[in-house]
Amino acid sequence: MAGFNTAVTGLKASSTMLDVTGNNIANSSTIGYKTSRTEFGDIYTASVVGAGSSNTPGSGVTVSDIAQDFSAGTLEFTNNNLDLAINGSGFFQLNDGQGGTTYTRAGAFELNKDGFIVSKNGKFLQGYGLDDRGNRLPIGNLAVTEKEFPPKTTETMDLSFNIDSREDANTLLPNYDKDKAGSFTYSTTVRTFDSLGNEHTIKYNFAEQRPENEYSNYQTTPGDRVYISGIGTAADTDGMLLPLYDESANGDFVLKTATAKAVDNGQDLKVFELGGQTLADLQEADPRIKSVEYRVDDAGNGTLRILKLSDSREFGDLLVTDNSAPDRVALTPTTTDASGFVSSNEKHFFEFQTGTFAANEQLDLEVAGVEIAISTGDNGMTSEQVALAIRDRESDILEANPDILSVSWDPDQGANGSLRIEFKPDVNPANLGARSAQVIDDAALIGSANQVFIGSEVATGKVDANYEIDGDNSYNGVYLMYAYLNGEEALDIGKLNDAGTGTDTEPGPILVKFNPENGLLTEINGEEIRTGATIPEIIIKGADPANKNNNIALNIGGSTQFASESIIKASDQDGYAKGDLIGVSFGSTGEMIASFSNGEQLNIGIVAVATFENQSGLQPSGDTEWTATLDSGSAILNPPGAGLNGLLRSASLEQSNVDLSAELVKLIEAQRNFQANSKTLETLNTVTQSILQI
């Protein structure tokens, strides 16, 4: 009877189902395991005669396939960066070192003693190496070969800051000193590295310029010729000709005032001022210079006085040479008052007509629109007393004229002294109103001995200033920027040699300018910043003690001068010390990234992910691995995330995709099938026994 064989096939199939289900349950916690299922097919026998008859009974069941389910398992996160999981399709490719290649979803990898990334059974993870330019190399064993990262000298630096515009430069110490915080407005320090990996610092100090002109005085002899910053005269090459006392002009200098007094000896003093093309040539060669005066008294003593613009205060030295001496020697500074600072404000001087005024006179004056009545009293008054009486009304004058800073007496300007009106630092001299700069004499006294001021118009009483010192507000928004290596050694950050001494750069400050109206950066070391243009870089020389040829390119773009706290907005530099390997991690697209103790990272490879045209055709080979077959086709290798490849997850492991609940149900089904087939055998045996007993 064929039924016995049919029942036996059922028992065998049920046993196989029990084996497969038991294997799934046993591997429910195996990393990367893929569940299997038993697939059955019926058996029919046929003969040539009568083939195709619908009355043919079946011959049992056969196991047609044990198929694997490659659906993804749950990802479990770990603390090991070498634990890898593929979030999507694909397999890790492994090489056993002897030519054997397998594929797995179990990503529990580790580093062996030689730095290779291997599976738990010692097989090598496959991937792409990278050359120095980051180009992919052929597939091979992934390894961590970089155990240390060489140092890199700082080559670029970005520094963005805000300097509080509310800081008052007038509160700074008179002279800059890097060791005295009170002599600069703002300071910040940035670390750098030399070519050997040693760490250093660069300290930047910013000293805001004040409304002051720096002056330098030189002893000279009238009639000599001098060079200033290498410039002589527009007319010839012999130098600027210094005027004599009895001259009014000499081609280079013109008389500015002849009524001043020498402060040191009280002699009558003439003040000449350099002008014309010679001054223009000089200012083009040395933009720091505001004006050049030559002061000569009636005793033949001469002093050359050079004033720098207020934005160039303490910005380098002047080169002044005497062409009358052999080899063009440097001029000697005056023994007293060789240099110093004077207010850069606009100043107007109104000279008094006389030194004494008769008794019982009424002086009706108008100063900057304010009417002032002065009585000379029974004893009369001196010009100084008249000036002081005007100054007593200073508060009224200042209230009516916000541009005026002070009204005072000046005994040295004019034979009888002068009334001095000084304007505020931020006032643009070109925008001064007529009223603010106006003095009107007592019209009734004009032409008499008690006429108050020289140069009073008979008709209007208006007085012209006998002497004016032009104002200079170029200081506004300007800072001297200094740089020091390790807080001590002054660095070369692009300051040009002082005019007339060469065209190279030298250690010292550069000028950084902001627009005082909007607080934005407008100029760096003489280079104007245009909207939309690249910010000029500051080249720092000598900041690498190990290699003095290395320079740093500093970019201070984005720096501002707003009315808010002085802060660093951004700071970065590209140097670093030597680093030792501290770990390896992986990016989502397969990049193998080595991390070093200096904070740097290096891409050293890319994990390869294999896919197959028919992954169901893969042959299990143990250790949660598969081998390729003719049915699966050859592996297609690409980085994670390429095409339909899944992304890589570091510090993650893919769990088994076994569903325990479903497997327990299958156990019941297999047991039921086995019992039913056993019953078939029992029944057939009973029938057979009955036949034998007939």
Side-chain angles (χ1 to χ4, degrees):
M1 297 176 71
F4 282 101
N5 290 331
T6 301
V8 170
T9 62
L11 289 174
K12 288 183 178 180
S14 298
S15 295
T16 301
M17 184 177 179
L18 283 170
D19 291 340
V20 171
T21 303
N23 187 58
N24 287 341
I25 294 173
N27 286 284
S28 61
S29 295
T30 301
I31 300 299
Y33 176 80
K34 298 302 175 186
T35 186
S36 300
R37 73 175 184 220
T38 312
E39 297 180 352
F40 303 105
D42 54 2
I43 302 174
Y44 279 85
T45 59
S47 61
V48 176
V49 178
S53 171
S54 60
N55 295 323
T56 302
S59 298
V61 65
T62 184
V63 176
S64 59
D65 191 18
I66 298 176
Q68 287 196 287
D69 177 8
F70 285 98
S71 61
T74 303
L75 298 186
E76 180 180 280
F77 300 105
T78 70
N79 293 321
N80 183 3
N81 287 335
L82 291 177
D83 288 340
L84 304 179
I86 299 174
N87 189 11
S89 62
F91 297 83
F92 298 111
Q93 187 181 55
L94 303 177
N95 188 300
D96 62 5
Q98 299 176 349
T101 302
T102 56
Y103 304 90
T104 185
R105 296 276 293 190
F109 297 107
E110 59 190 13
L111 284 175
N112 68 8
K113 63 183 180 63
D114 298 317
F116 290 97
I117 298 179
V118 296
S119 63
K120 295 300 181 182
N121 56 6
K123 294 183 179 180
F124 300 98
L125 176 64
Q126 300 298 287
Y128 305 93
L130 297 175
D131 63 17
D132 293 338
R133 297 183 178 180
N135 299 314
R136 282 190 287 174
L137 300 174
I139 293 286
N141 299 337
L142 283 180
V144 180
T145 56
E146 302 290 342
K147 298 302 192 315
E148 64 180 21
F149 203 90
K152 179 183 180 299
T153 184
T154 299
E155 295 177 340
T156 62
M157 182 183 297
D158 294 319
L159 180 64
S160 177
F161 51 85
N162 179 70
I163 300 181
D164 194 342
S165 65
R166 298 169 297 185
E167 296 286 346
D168 186 0
N170 292 303
T171 63
L172 297 178
L173 297 176
N175 297 100
Y176 171 80
D177 186 333
K178 69 179 178 63
D179 297 320
K180 295 181 179 179
S183 67
F184 45 87
T185 310
Y186 178 64
S187 179
T188 186
T189 301
V190 180
R191 71 172 185 167
T192 63
F193 295 88
D194 64 24
S195 56
L196 298 179
N198 298 306
E199 183 173 339
H200 303 276
T201 62
I202 296 181
K203 181 182 180 183
Y204 299 104
N205 291 344
F206 297 86
E208 186 176 8
Q209 295 289 39
R210 297 200 290 270
E212 293 179 342
N213 296 118
E214 182 180 4
Y215 66 83
S216 299
N217 292 331
Y218 300 88
Q219 293 178 345
T220 58
T221 301
D224 282 356
R225 290 185 177 272
V226 298
Y227 281 84
I228 301 174
S229 300
I231 299 298
T233 174
D236 55 55
T237 59
D238 293 333
M240 305 173 194
L241 180 62
L242 300 177
L244 303 174
Y245 180 80
D246 57 1
E247 292 181 321
S248 60
N250 68 355
D252 293 327
F253 289 85
V254 295
L255 184 64
K256 189 167 186 181
T257 178
T259 57
K261 292 181 180 178
V263 176
D264 54 349
N265 58 22
Q267 297 285 340
D268 288 337
L269 185 71
K270 284 186 177 181
V271 178
F272 294 84
E273 188 172 62
L274 184 66
Q277 189 60 44
T278 302
L279 178 63
D281 292 344
L282 176 58
Q283 291 175 331
E284 181 178 357
D286 191 346
R288 300 173 299 170
I289 291 179
K290 174 182 182 286
S291 64
V292 178
E293 294 179 348
Y294 188 62
R295 302 183 172 203
V296 57
D297 62 29
D298 56 2
N301 302 304
T303 301
L304 184 68
R305 183 182 180 90
I306 304 174
L307 269 75
K308 292 181 184 176
L309 288 168
S310 58
D311 68 358
S312 299
R313 182 183 181 276
E314 292 193 312
F315 184 44
D317 299 318
L318 294 171
L319 175 65
V320 183
T321 57
D322 188 350
N323 196 44
S324 300
D327 300 323
R328 199 185 290 181
V329 298
L331 283 175
T332 305
T334 55
T335 54
T336 59
D337 195 28
S339 63
F341 307 98
V342 294
S343 166
S344 65
N345 302 338
E346 178 92 356
K347 305 175 191 70
H348 293 183
F349 297 85
F350 301 89
E351 293 187 18
F352 284 97
Q353 173 74 29
T354 179
T356 59
F357 293 88
N360 300 317
E361 289 283 354
Q362 180 76 16
L363 307 179
D364 295 318
L365 308 174
E366 183 179 316
V367 177
V370 176
E371 295 181 354
I372 302 174
I374 301 172
S375 175
T376 61
D378 295 337
N379 299 319
M381 298 180 74
T382 64
S383 56
E384 180 180 2
Q385 290 173 324
V386 172
L388 296 178
I390 295 174
R391 193 186 65 180
D392 289 342
R393 296 290 304 277
E394 184 180 45
S395 60
D396 296 328
I397 296 172
L398 300 186
E399 183 178 354
N401 299 272
D403 289 341
I404 295 179
L405 176 67
S406 66
V407 178
S408 62
W409 156 254
D410 191 321
D412 298 317
Q413 178 57 44
N416 301 302
S418 295
L419 177 72
R420 183 173 82 169
I421 298 179
E422 183 170 349
F423 298 89
K424 290 182 177 178
D426 56 352
V427 171
N428 186 341
N431 297 333
L432 279 176
R435 169 176 159 175
S436 297
Q438 182 171 281
V439 173
I440 297 178
D441 204 343
D442 189 333
L445 298 176
I446 293 176
S448 70
N450 279 352
Q451 176 178 324
V452 182
F453 296 105
I454 294 175
S456 303
E457 294 181 359
V458 176
T460 64
K462 182 177 179 298
V463 182
D464 292 326
N466 302 93
Y467 180 49
E468 294 182 5
I469 297 178
D470 295 334
D472 169 21
N473 60 3
S474 61
Y475 72 93
N476 214 348
V478 179
Y479 293 81
L480 285 171
M481 177 181 177
Y482 300 82
Y484 300 94
L485 179 63
N486 299 321
E488 294 297 330
E489 180 185 347
L491 292 173
D492 180 349
I493 57 175
K495 177 189 176 297
L496 292 174
N497 293 144
D498 294 328
T501 64
T503 57
D504 204 352
T505 59
E506 62 185 6
I510 63 172
L511 296 181
V512 176
K513 299 183 179 182
F514 296 89
N515 186 331
E517 296 179 355
N518 57 27
L520 300 180
L521 199 59
T522 60
E523 186 177 303
I524 299 173
N525 198 22
E527 292 189 59
E528 184 179 352
I529 299 174
R530 301 184 183 277
T531 303
T534 302
I535 301 295
E537 290 182 334
I538 299 172
I539 303 302
I540 305 175
K541 300 178 181 179
D544 183 350
N547 187 347
K548 290 293 185 179
N549 293 322
N550 290 335
N551 297 330
I552 299 176
L554 170 63
N555 187 319
I556 60 171
S559 298
T560 53
Q561 188 202 25
F562 296 148
S564 61
E565 185 179 359
S566 295
I567 60 168
I568 288 292
K569 298 193 288 185
S571 177
D572 190 26
Q573 58 86 34
D574 64 347
Y576 41 80
K578 168 189 169 293
D580 296 314
L581 182 68
I582 58 174
V584 177
S585 60
F586 293 83
S588 62
T589 52
E591 300 88 352
M592 184 167 66
I593 305 168
S595 299
F596 299 88
S597 58
N598 59 2
E600 294 302 310
Q601 294 183 327
L602 179 66
N603 287 350
I604 55 177
I606 299 176
V607 176
V609 171
T611 56
F612 298 88
E613 293 292 342
N614 175 25
Q615 63 183 7
S616 296
L618 292 172
Q619 177 66 43
S621 59
D623 289 324
T624 326
E625 297 173 10
W626 292 265
T627 57
T629 66
L630 292 176
D631 289 338
S632 67
S634 299
I636 303 171
L637 294 169
N638 281 299
L644 298 178
N645 286 1
L647 295 173
L648 195 67
R649 294 294 297 269
S650 181
S652 299
L653 290 174
E654 182 182 1
Q655 301 302 299
S656 167
N657 65 350
V658 171
D659 184 345
L660 275 176
S661 298
E663 297 304 318
L664 292 174
V665 171
K666 288 180 181 179
L667 276 179
I668 297 172
E669 291 177 354
Q671 180 185 19
R672 181 196 63 196
N673 293 342
F674 191 93
Q675 290 174 341
N677 283 285
S678 298
K679 193 66 176 178
T680 299
L681 279 175
E682 181 183 350
T683 302
L684 287 173
N685 182 56
T686 302
V687 171
T688 301
Q689 292 297 324
S690 298
I691 293 174
L692 292 174
Q693 293 175 2
I694 292 177

